[in-house]
Amino acid sequence: MSGESVAVVVVTYNRADLLAHMLDGLAAQTRPADAIFVIDNASSDHTRALLTEQVAAARPGLPLRVTHAEENLGGAGGFHLGVRMAHAAGYDRIWLMDDDVVPAPDCLATLLAQDEACLMSVRQDTHGRLVEKAATRFDLHNPLSVRPKTAMVETEYGSRERMPERVELENVAFEGFMLRREVIDAIGLPDPAYFIFYDDVDYAVRARRAGFRIWAIRDAVLVRQLDFDQQHDLGGWKGYFMYRNLFVVHLRYGENVLVRLKPWLITAAVVLLSPVRGGRAEARNVIRAMRDARGMRSVPPRSVD
């Protein structure tokens, strides 16, 4: 509640101008964060210069602790590192944030008023439209659900005004997700092996299976500076991670053998259809993804080291 300490963990990569707006949003919070851990994933733009300038300015409400990674750890590796640092420093709550969102001035205070272990801010675009894609139903039971996310806040409600004050979620994004340290003590850290995509989904599944409920808070407003782009090239490098990590979630957490077989069926379908779709690169990606996903079937340890 109000007496708890809170640290923000921000992961950034080559988006210095967006990061600057995001830091302005944190500095404007009516209840400032007690610490802000910024993990710079070896950016090659002017991110380092921006952060050096911000630290030197020592702005009120912006208690920065900056780490420049020697290599790009991916979003998953960055959040793993930042959460580990914030947990080790003893903070009661940790708020995860990407570099392309801006919290409304009362967003942090609104979240801290909730006596829950797992909370999610609710995202909107720069025009005020609801764009919260966290799942209200994430189906790992039905083998016919090719995509396990079968409902999300945006499609369930359409606008923030139609939402109740709290909505229970079955997965989250690491854009505005807040957790108490007891969650980390119970399930460990985010899994850095995902690199990008599905690390947040994996963490939400682990939290829910440990008995924690996750709540989206309608009035905790987070503004996304960029449009969502879900249409990645499945034959490119991101396509590999999308397939591999989707498969890992099914292999780890599928609730029956048929769901755990879905990655094999998807792989076979993509390969068989590749001649007519012209997707040889996608076929190579999905084969490699299936092979590598098998090596990631073990659930991460509960260690916080």
Side-chain angles (χ1 to χ4, degrees):
M1 300 294 284
S2 59
E4 293 175 301
S5 60
V6 59
V8 182
V9 172
V10 180
V11 178
T12 188
Y13 177 66
N14 279 351
R15 297 200 290 199
D17 294 337
L18 294 176
L19 177 64
H21 291 302
M22 187 265 162
L23 293 176
D24 288 343
L26 288 179
Q29 291 300 295
T30 57
R31 196 292 194 187
D34 298 294
I36 301 170
F37 293 82
V38 179
I39 309 299
D40 170 24
N41 260 334
S43 295
S44 57
D45 65 354
H46 56 288
T47 295
R48 182 182 287 264
L50 168 72
L51 289 170
T52 299
E53 178 183 304
Q54 294 280 357
V55 170
R59 296 167 63 189
L62 209 62
L64 293 174
R65 304 186 185 186
V66 177
T67 298
H68 296 287
E70 294 183 1
E71 61 181 354
N72 184 1
L73 306 172
F79 282 116
H80 172 91
L81 176 59
V83 171
R84 178 163 59 82
M85 294 171 67
H87 180 272
Y91 291 97
D92 298 314
R93 298 212 206 191
I94 301 173
W95 194 22
L96 308 185
M97 196 76 64
D98 214 341
D99 55 14
D100 63 352
V101 291
V102 177
D106 64 347
C107 188
L108 180 53
T110 300
L111 291 174
L112 288 174
Q114 298 288 323
D115 188 15
E116 298 286 352
C118 295
L119 298 167
M120 183 72 193
S121 312
V122 175
R123 293 169 289 177
Q124 64 186 42
D125 64 16
T126 54
H127 302 287
R129 295 175 297 217
L130 182 69
V131 292
E132 184 48 66
K133 300 185 183 298
T136 53
R137 289 195 302 275
F138 194 79
D139 189 350
L140 291 169
H141 179 77
N142 182 0
L144 299 180
S145 294
V146 177
R147 291 189 176 97
K149 184 194 291 186
T150 58
M152 55 187 173
V153 173
E154 179 182 4
T155 55
E156 286 258 321
Y157 299 103
S159 70
R160 193 181 299 270
E161 291 73 24
R162 295 192 184 100
M163 290 179 63
E165 291 183 7
R166 307 196 327 172
V167 174
E168 189 161 10
L169 300 177
E170 294 191 356
N171 79 11
V172 300
F174 283 168
E175 287 187 355
F177 178 54
M178 176 180 283
L179 63 158
R180 279 185 166 140
R181 64 183 297 108
E182 67 192 79
V183 180
I184 304 164
D185 293 337
I187 69 172
L189 299 166
D191 186 354
Y194 279 96
F195 192 71
I196 57 169
F197 305 131
Y198 287 97
D199 52 320
D200 38 19
V201 172
D202 180 280
Y203 205 70
V205 173
R206 287 156 59 193
R208 290 178 57 243
R209 293 195 173 186
F212 297 102
R213 300 174 75 180
I214 305 171
W215 299 96
I217 305 304
R218 180 194 63 198
D219 298 331
V221 178
L222 201 61
V223 179
R224 206 169 194 277
Q225 300 182 70
L226 298 176
D227 292 335
F228 274 101
D229 179 14
Q230 305 287 351
Q231 304 302 315
H232 296 296
D233 175 15
L234 293 176
W237 69 272
K238 287 186 177 181
Y240 161 75
F241 285 108
M242 292 185 76
Y243 274 126
R244 188 199 68 171
N245 296 349
L246 174 66
F247 293 168
V248 170
V249 169
H250 280 81
L251 294 174
R252 284 181 179 178
Y253 307 113
E255 295 175 10
N256 55 64
V257 66
L258 292 177
V259 172
R260 294 191 292 274
L261 283 173
K262 277 172 56 180
W264 298 95
L265 296 175
I266 293 171
T267 299
V270 170
V271 171
L272 287 172
L273 292 172
S274 62
V276 297
R277 294 178 55 186
R280 292 183 179 179
E282 183 182 355
R284 288 192 295 269
N285 261 353
V286 78
I287 291 169
R288 184 163 68 99
M290 186 68 249
R291 180 197 67 205
D292 294 347
R294 293 176 62 200
M296 293 175 62
R297 284 177 291 184
S298 298
V299 177
R302 297 182 178 182
S303 171
V304 293
D305 298 327

